[in-house]
Amino acid sequence: MSTGAERFIDELAKREMLPEPIIKRLWDKVANSSSVPSARSLATFLVDKGHLSRADADEALEAAKPQRKPRKPKPEPKEPEVTDASLEAADEQTVPTEEGGAGKKAGKPARRYKKKTKGDNEFDTPLMLLGSGGLVLLLLCGGGILFLLFRESGDALLKDARKAFEAAAYRQAAADYGKFVEKFTNHEGISGARVMLALARIRETPETNFEQRLKKAQQEIPPVEDEEEFPTANEELASILPAIAKGLADKADAATEVEEIGQFRELARDALVLCANTKYVPTRLRDKQELNEIEIVLQRVQFRQEALTALGECLGAMSKAV
């Protein structure tokens, strides 16, 4: 028997609501998953990813519902016809008593009451069993409703977090993603939420405070780099990390003190190490010209730093000689 998710994918394919590659990926997800997702969870996922509109998803879900066959009405038992012959037969079966009155019908034994034995349970009645079954059914229904409400609230919080991130409200996005990650650990969107939380925390630092941004990136990226949804962060990191490296290189170039120059130059080198990590910034997203320009600035800074250091040592030696 096909599952709700399979019928849902069939409807999407029949109505040509999605491209063939996405349909194939959905079939693979259902076939390879240890626990088959529900049709509604697939619909929510496709709507959140922008592959389907809510109206199209609802239409496909409605069409995917199984058609129930109407029950055939049970035939009512036929009542026996009353005829003169049947009345005469009933009179013949009546036995007169000693007092001359009509007695019990012949051939029908007197009703005997079964004596209760020690093992009989007075609560084992159909009514009690029916009530117990109804209670179990109510508990199951209540648990299902709570699960759906819990899931819907998780979907709503995740949607709010995405909207805040897209609107560049990174502090609010970080707060929403943090709540989601803490409360909905079993939600199917938990991996992507962890990755987006790391990005939001990096983004919420001041854009020109390159030292703080570098520190935050070094703290937030490694814990989520093995998440299933980490590749979705590549484009963001391809924008964030080179900007940090360039900002630190420019600070080193503008510094006048040898110690300050060295400090910013080392931080810029640390940022370039993150840029060189293909897991963070794949080659296809890397701006080689921009990275080469940063490298040229750092080489110039290093040369100036060495010259200033040598000059300081020379002046120190001259002052001692005098």
Side-chain angles (χ1 to χ4, degrees):
M1 182 181 292
S2 61
T3 64
E6 292 172 343
R7 292 194 298 272
F8 177 65
I9 298 172
D10 279 336
E11 287 298 326
L12 294 177
K14 289 177 184 177
R15 298 165 185 265
E16 298 182 353
M17 291 181 171
L18 293 175
E20 187 64 28
I22 296 179
I23 293 292
K24 187 177 182 301
R25 286 178 59 189
L26 291 176
W27 279 120
D28 293 341
K29 182 177 179 66
V30 171
N32 299 328
S33 178
S34 57
S35 59
V36 180
S38 66
R40 184 163 294 279
S41 65
L42 282 179
T44 303
F45 172 78
L46 293 171
V47 171
D48 290 342
K49 292 293 183 181
H51 296 307
L52 273 181
S53 66
R54 174 55 64 184
D56 288 343
D58 291 340
E59 180 182 345
L61 283 172
E62 185 65 27
K65 289 182 178 179
Q67 301 294 327
R68 295 183 178 179
K69 295 182 179 180
R71 293 184 176 180
K72 294 182 178 180
K74 295 182 179 179
E76 296 183 358
K78 294 183 179 180
E79 296 184 358
E81 295 182 0
V82 180
T83 61
D84 294 339
S86 61
L87 291 176
E88 291 175 359
D91 290 340
E92 290 175 357
Q93 291 178 1
T94 303
V95 181
T97 63
E98 292 180 358
E99 289 78 5
K104 296 180 179 178
K105 291 183 178 179
K108 186 175 181 180
R111 184 176 179 181
R112 295 183 180 179
Y113 292 95
K114 182 181 178 183
K115 184 178 180 181
K116 284 187 179 181
T117 61
K118 188 175 182 180
D120 290 340
N121 190 339
E122 61 182 355
F123 295 104
D124 289 341
T125 63
L127 185 59
M128 291 296 295
L129 294 175
L130 182 61
S132 301
L135 179 60
V136 172
L137 182 61
L138 286 175
L139 291 174
L140 291 175
C141 290
I145 292 172
L146 287 176
F147 173 78
L148 291 175
L149 291 175
F150 186 73
R151 181 182 180 80
E152 289 296 330
S153 61
D155 292 341
L157 184 57
L158 191 59
K159 187 175 182 180
D160 290 341
R162 287 171 180 159
K163 285 183 178 179
F165 190 92
E166 291 170 0
Y170 300 118
R171 189 175 299 277
Q172 182 61 46
D176 289 341
Y177 279 122
K179 290 178 184 176
F180 181 89
V181 167
E182 182 181 354
K183 294 176 63 177
F184 301 97
T185 54
N186 295 323
H187 195 281
E188 62 183 8
I190 187 64
S191 178
R194 291 192 183 107
V195 174
M196 293 303 297
L197 174 59
L199 293 176
R201 285 174 174 171
I202 297 171
R203 286 284 195 186
E204 72 174 334
T205 58
E207 191 170 357
T208 56
N209 191 338
F210 302 108
E211 303 97 300
Q212 187 178 350
R213 277 209 164 187
L214 174 62
K215 183 178 180 181
K216 186 65 71 171
Q218 291 171 328
Q219 291 174 346
E220 297 293 336
I221 298 175
V224 298
E225 65 180 10
D226 293 326
E227 289 288 343
E228 182 182 357
E229 294 296 322
F230 184 77
T232 60
N234 289 150
E235 291 188 7
E236 280 286 328
L237 294 177
S239 171
I240 295 172
L241 297 178
I244 295 173
K246 185 178 185 307
L248 291 169
D250 290 342
K251 279 195 169 187
D253 196 24
T256 57
E257 299 294 331
V258 174
E259 184 178 352
E260 191 178 25
I261 292 172
Q263 177 185 355
F264 286 125
R265 186 171 69 85
E266 289 302 319
L267 290 175
R269 286 289 180 196
D270 291 342
L272 285 178
V273 170
L274 296 179
C275 294
N277 190 328
T278 55
K279 197 169 187 178
Y280 301 166
V281 184
T283 305
R284 61 184 177 83
L285 297 175
R286 193 172 297 166
D287 189 339
K288 293 182 180 180
Q289 182 178 352
E290 181 183 21
L291 296 177
N292 287 336
E293 290 174 356
I294 296 172
E295 190 65 44
I296 291 171
V297 172
L298 291 178
Q299 290 176 1
R300 182 173 68 242
V301 167
Q302 182 178 0
F303 179 77
R304 185 162 62 90
Q305 181 186 8
E306 292 173 352
L308 288 173
T309 301
L311 178 61
E313 291 175 352
C314 182
L315 293 174
M318 289 175 62
S319 63
K320 287 180 181 181
V322 174

